[in-house]
Structures are given as structure tokens and as C-alpha cells.
Amino acid sequence: MERINRALMVIDVQNDFCEGGSLAVEGGVAVAQRITQHMRRNAHIYDLIVASKDHHIRPQGHFSKHPDFVTTWPVHCVAGTPGSEFHPTLDQSFIDMVVFKGEYDAAYSMFEGKTESGEALIQLLERREIEVIEICGIATDYCVLQSGISSLDYGFPTTVFLDLVAGVSPEDSADALEELQSRGANLDYALESQ
Ligand SMILES: [Zn+2]
């Protein structure tokens, strides 16, 4: 039987999006820890584990001193700052590739990201012959939602792990998951203990 090439996408598990960060999402640290647990148990089933970083230099209109937390945000994930680093509880040893997004504009979908060598995420996925995508990370109602929509739009069977995501707003996160499901995403739990 031919094996399916599977990728895990780990979205924006960065210090600024976890408790203690400038744009902390409740449950961010717990998600970072659970993603590590999932990778320790299951890294062998993935042909690629790719993690994204929100990586801002001068993101036009994305930051505000009076953010509305919908389209404008406190300063976060500025390239080269500790806030932009992966959370220390995320075990980076399992991550094969990192993609960076948002240098000069808001970028909510991981598919807007590029690797250090400038390869777009979709090219990386095609080069590695990825057929199936599983998604986890932060934030459910923004980058997880948009990355999931992109993945589905590219035609990948896509799973979002409910126990490995955290959102800004509980209501918007519920809506986001509902929208992903209505577009064809599979919603599942990664850790059996859930
Ligand atoms: Zn951002």
C-alpha cells in the first residue's frame, strides 16, 4: 500500500502569542506544550513538519497604539526580538522547516510565508509531494483559520487539531472552526488523552 505524504503545520507558536507576550492568547503555552507532546509521539508519521513565524519588520497598518484586535494589533513578533522566537516549550528539534511571513504587511495565512531561502510554502509542499495537511497552532480565529482556508483552496485534505489550537476570542474561534468544517476541513483531536 502506498504511503500518504503527510505534513504537520505548526502556526505561530511564538512568545508574543503565548502568556507573557505582547499579544498573548489564552492557552498559548498549553498549546505549545501539547504540540510538543504530539510531535514526540507522532513525528514519525510526518514527511514534513513546518512551522511558521509571524515576522514583522514594517507591517503596514498591522500595528496600532489603539488596536481593535480585529485588524490592528499591539506591536508583536518583530523580527529579531525575543517575542518573535518560538515559545521555549515548543520542541524545535522536530521542526524540519520554518517559514516567515508578514515582513511588510499583515499575513494571516501560513501560505503567505517563505523559507529562509525564499521558497514559498506551496512550492515546498509540492517539492516534498505532500498530499495531506494537519494544522495546529495560534490563533484559531486568525492564522489557523486563514491557513486552513488556503490549504483547502489548494485542494489538500486538511485536518485541524482542536486540542492543539488556541484563539483570541472564544466566539470567533468557534465560528472559525465551523467555517473550516463547512469548507471541508476535518476537525479532530491529536492526543488520545483528550
Ligand atoms: Zn502579525
Side-chain angles (χ1 to χ4, degrees), residues 13-97:
V13 184
Q14 293 165 271
N15 286 325
D16 272 344
F17 294 137
C18 293
E19 285 87 344
S22 68
L23 181 40
V25 171
E26 201 182 324
V29 175
V31 156
Q33 292 168 339
R34 285 201 293 270
I35 292 171
T36 289
Q37 199 181 345
H38 175 60
M39 292 192 296
R40 285 186 179 148
R41 286 184 194 174
N42 297 307
H44 63 277
I45 72 166
Y46 294 107
D47 300 277
L48 176 69
I49 298 182
V50 57
S52 62
K53 275 186 173 175
D54 211 21
H55 190 250
H56 294 311
I57 297 170
R58 265 193 321 281
Q60 218 166 5
H62 189 51
F63 293 161
S64 171
K65 285 193 178 110
H66 308 285
D68 63 9
F69 292 87
V70 177
T71 59
T72 58
W73 306 92
V75 172
H76 61 275
C77 299
V78 173
T81 65
S84 77
E85 296 301 318
F86 289 123
H87 193 269
T89 62
L90 183 73
D91 188 340
Q92 292 181 49
S93 67
F94 293 106
I95 296 169
D96 302 307
M97 282 290 207

Side-chain angles (χ1 to χ4, degrees), residues 107-169:
Y108 295 107
S109 170
M110 192 166 174
F111 283 79
E112 295 179 64
K114 287 190 160 85
T115 65
E116 207 160 17
S117 68
E119 186 173 34
L121 177 60
I122 187 63
Q123 292 171 327
L124 170 65
L125 297 171
E126 285 172 353
R127 186 163 59 77
R128 298 290 194 95
E129 300 180 330
I130 297 301
E131 298 165 280
V132 165
I133 288 177
E134 298 181 350
I135 291 179
C136 60
I138 304 169
T140 314
D141 34 356
Y142 291 92
C143 292
V144 169
L145 171 64
Q146 295 305 327
S147 301
I149 290 173
S150 300
S151 176
L152 291 161
D153 284 349
Y154 277 110
F156 293 105
T158 303
T159 294
V160 178
F161 288 128
L162 298 171
D163 52 340
L164 303 185
V165 293
V168 175
S169 138

